Amino acid sequence: MDFQAGILQDGSPMESLEKQLICPICLEMFSKPVVILPCQHNLCRKCANDVFQAANPYWQSRGSVISGGRFRCPSCRHEVLLDRHGVYGLQRNLLVENIIDIYKQECSSRPLKKGEHPMCKEHEDERINIYCVTCEVPTCSMCKVFGAHKDCEVAPLQTVFQGQKTELNNCISMLVAGNDRIQTIISQLEDSCRSTEENSEAAKRELCARFDALAALLEEKKLELLQRITREQDDKTGFVHGLICQYKEQLEKSSRLVETAIQAMEETGGAAFLMGGNTAVLSLPRIVEASKGGKLEKIEHGYESMDAFSVSLDHLTEAVCALDFNPAEEDEEYFDGEEEEVEE
């Protein structure tokens, strides 16, 4: 900061005004021209250009085919978008420039007071006006001629001051540009995180849909096979029930013949027996035929077995256990092949 600012007393209105006229980059009072950013903060044009160049290292000067650029306001971090003119396309803040002129005129009209300039501790009447490069401390001319710094290398205080200020300004610009790049990287990482979450949810939905479709196909196939078993069961049990009815009819007829035969056996007279006095004689051929066994149909051995409807799912179990994530095309072919295998 210019040492003239020290002529103002602490807490004075002019001091408050001075604080409002300090550039946040160079920490000096704004130098003409002053540019106003879209966020209404001000910068020296040179400082704004330094920040812009640091944030856009590949941007070239006006007239280049490269257009546009951006950097962030060092005061509020608001992003400033520029056209092909770069910083020169920003509007000048003439009001601030006029205020600076009035402020400097007011400061220049005030006389310097004793004690407001740093004085040498060794030589109380000498102002600190040179810089000892060897010891890296400011000192006075008497210290260089007669004092502790007579054998040291010195430089004008203002020259060293401006050099260090320039270096500090460059560091600030680099830090601001670095912060801008970091912010860009953070934004990219946040976008990547959001995209990862969205893609993961989409992949989960697709995976669930595929498994649901496969489960529905298996359920449909299970119902079909169950219906086939039920039809076979109905056919076999219907046939067996028919045989049971036939055998019951035969059993009933045979029981009646047995009763008739028993009654005939009770006849003691041979003539009466042979003359047909008993109906058993008339039914004798039927009784003889019935005693030889019926000619009804019989079921084969193992007729009730349903082993023919046994299904082996070992290959499907192995296929399910082997399921894994594959590239999109292979994944489609795998599921298509599996569904065809289930249908077979």
Side-chain angles (χ1 to χ4, degrees):
M1 186 182 299
D2 195 339
F3 74 92
Q4 289 180 343
I7 65 175
L8 300 177
Q9 297 179 356
D10 293 339
S12 66
M14 293 297 289
E15 182 180 7
S16 300
L17 176 61
E18 179 188 4
K19 292 180 180 179
Q20 300 299 321
L21 301 177
I22 298 299
C23 174
I25 298 298
C26 63
L27 303 180
E28 287 284 348
M29 188 172 296
F30 290 117
S31 60
K32 293 183 180 180
V34 180
V35 294
I36 181 170
L37 304 181
C39 57
Q40 303 304 311
H41 290 112
N42 298 287
L43 291 176
C44 306
R45 177 181 287 178
K46 179 182 181 303
C47 295
N49 190 60
D50 291 341
V51 175
F52 174 72
Q53 292 291 343
N56 302 269
Y58 300 106
W59 191 89
Q60 300 179 9
S61 61
R62 289 181 296 174
S64 169
V65 294
I66 301 178
S67 63
R70 64 184 65 194
F71 69 95
R72 292 187 179 274
C73 173
S75 298
C76 65
R77 305 300 299 158
H78 178 80
E79 189 174 49
V80 180
L81 301 178
L82 302 179
D83 57 16
R84 62 187 183 86
H85 299 289
V87 175
Y88 291 90
L90 292 174
Q91 183 178 0
R92 290 179 59 177
N93 196 333
L94 300 179
L95 176 60
V96 173
E97 293 181 10
N98 292 334
I99 293 175
I100 292 175
D101 291 339
I102 296 173
Y103 175 82
K104 289 184 176 180
Q105 291 176 6
E106 179 66 21
C107 291
S108 61
S109 64
R110 295 179 176 233
L112 291 175
K113 297 180 180 180
K114 183 178 181 181
E116 291 178 349
H117 194 285
M119 309 299 289
C120 179
K121 294 182 179 180
E122 298 295 332
H123 308 89
E124 297 180 355
D125 295 332
E126 294 292 331
R127 294 182 179 181
I128 295 179
N129 55 3
I130 60 175
Y131 184 83
C132 178
V133 179
T134 305
C135 302
E136 297 183 349
V137 294
T139 185
C140 70
S141 301
M142 296 299 294
C143 289
K144 170 58 180 173
V145 178
F146 304 105
H149 302 284
K150 62 181 180 180
D151 297 326
C152 298
E153 180 183 356
V154 296
L157 185 65
Q158 192 66 18
T159 301
V160 177
F161 166 74
Q162 292 297 335
Q164 292 190 3
K165 272 299 193 64
T166 301
E167 183 179 359
L168 180 59
N169 180 44
N170 294 335
C171 292
I172 293 174
S173 300
M174 293 178 64
L175 288 174
V176 171
N179 292 340
D180 189 49
R181 287 192 293 269
I182 292 174
Q183 184 63 43
T184 301
I185 294 174
I186 291 174
S187 300
Q188 292 174 349
L189 293 176
E190 290 176 347
D191 292 341
S192 176
C193 185
R194 285 192 295 269
S195 298
T196 301
E197 292 176 352
E198 293 173 358
N199 294 338
S200 298
E201 292 300 323
K204 289 178 183 178
R205 289 193 297 270
E206 181 181 0
L207 183 64
C208 290
R210 293 193 174 206
F211 270 86
D212 291 343
L214 183 59
L217 180 62
L218 290 174
E219 184 66 21
E220 181 181 355
K221 196 64 179 180
K222 182 184 74 172
L223 294 177
E224 177 186 344
L225 297 179
L226 288 174
Q227 290 175 357
R228 289 175 57 184
I229 295 176
T230 302
R231 287 196 299 269
E232 184 69 14
Q233 174 189 348
D234 294 341
D235 291 343
K236 286 189 174 184
T237 56
F239 177 74
V240 172
H241 283 305
L243 290 180
I244 291 174
C245 292
Q246 294 178 21
Y247 275 97
K248 284 183 177 180
E249 291 177 0
Q250 182 178 356
L251 179 61
E252 184 179 355
K253 292 179 181 179
S254 178
S255 298
R256 287 196 297 266
L257 289 175
V258 170
E259 291 178 358
T260 302
I262 291 175
Q263 292 176 1
M265 290 296 294
E266 294 177 354
E267 183 64 47
T268 57
F273 179 83
L274 294 175
M275 288 176 65
N278 195 299
T279 57
V281 177
L282 300 177
S283 301
L284 183 60
R286 293 170 56 193
I287 295 174
V288 173
E289 183 65 25
S291 66
K292 294 180 181 180
K295 297 181 180 179
L296 296 178
E297 188 176 359
K298 299 179 180 179
I299 60 175
E300 299 177 356
H301 177 72
Y303 177 81
E304 66 280 0
S305 174
M306 302 294 284
D307 293 341
F309 294 93
S310 177
V311 176
S312 175
L313 299 179
D314 294 340
H315 61 293
L316 287 180
T317 303
E318 294 176 358
V320 172
C321 293
L323 282 177
D324 201 351
F325 295 106
N326 296 314
E329 295 182 358
E330 297 181 5
D331 192 45
E332 292 287 347
E333 294 175 358
Y334 179 82
F335 276 93
D336 292 343
E338 186 179 39
E339 292 176 358
E340 293 177 359
E341 187 177 13
V342 173
E343 292 177 356
E344 294 174 0

